[in-house]
Amino acid sequence: MKKIAELTAELAAPVAAERGCTIWDVEYVKEAGTWYLRVLLDKEGGVDILDCEAISREVSDLLDEADPIEGSYTLEVGSAGAERALKRPGDFVRFMGSPVAVRLYRNRDGRKEFAGTLTGYDEGTGAVTVRIGDNETTFEKADTALVRLRVEFS
């Protein structure tokens, strides 16, 4: 049986495509005792509230019809955001050269978060290389809790 997030992504992809959007990620998570099914969208030029509303309505109907989830949950459809998490190999390739923040599980050099420019990704190991100032630092996948885009203001 397919995971709920995977099934939801398959159901939502054609609906999102009709509005010029793509599915960035789908999460099915429990927070504070409530289950949330989140569909995060991406779109050239940005996702707007009308995209989210239309896609939410259609995906909700498709989920009601397919009925893959026992019990209650909250469906949320929104933009992946400017500071979105990078998870898949294609995400790292697409945003190579972009400002990122890397959060670690354990302190390294007295801190857990590092900001820099994404300069490398090893698809085989999942290691991420980031230029921080004049130095390049590689973070192993096992040590890395999160890699996300970072917006810089000048």
Side-chain angles (χ1 to χ4, degrees):
M1 182 175 201
K2 291 184 181 177
K3 291 182 178 181
I4 291 168
E6 186 180 332
L7 176 65
T8 302
E10 288 177 9
L11 291 171
V15 174
E18 287 176 12
R19 295 199 61 92
C21 297
T22 57
I23 304 297
W24 179 261
D25 197 13
V26 177
E27 302 174 326
Y28 185 58
V29 294
K30 191 172 190 177
E31 295 176 356
T34 301
W35 282 98
Y36 291 90
L37 179 59
R38 292 193 180 105
V39 178
L40 302 176
L41 306 171
D42 192 22
K43 181 179 178 182
E44 190 68 37
V47 175
D48 64 34
I49 191 72
L50 298 176
D51 295 323
C52 296
E53 181 182 12
I55 292 168
S56 176
R57 198 174 300 118
E58 286 189 53
V59 169
S60 179
D61 290 345
L62 291 171
L63 287 168
D64 286 347
E65 192 176 302
D67 199 22
I69 304 172
E70 292 183 25
S72 64
Y73 64 94
T74 300
L75 174 64
E76 295 180 345
V77 177
S79 169
E83 293 194 338
R84 66 191 65 186
L86 304 180
K87 297 180 178 181
R88 297 170 299 272
D91 299 345
F92 291 94
V93 171
R94 177 178 171 190
F95 290 102
M96 196 61 60
S98 297
V100 294
V102 177
R103 186 175 309 137
L104 303 177
Y105 290 114
R106 288 178 217 81
N107 279 348
R108 181 194 257 187
D109 302 326
R111 58 188 184 152
K112 283 186 170 182
E113 190 155 322
F114 296 82
T117 301
L118 180 63
T119 58
Y121 176 74
D122 185 323
E123 195 167 332
T125 65
V128 175
T129 303
V130 177
R131 186 177 60 250
I132 303 169
D134 293 332
N135 301 313
E136 288 203 344
T137 304
T138 298
F139 300 95
E140 300 302 324
K141 182 176 183 166
D143 300 329
T144 306
L146 174 73
V147 178
R148 65 171 175 78
L149 292 177
R150 188 172 49 88
V151 175
E152 293 182 326
F153 298 97
S154 47

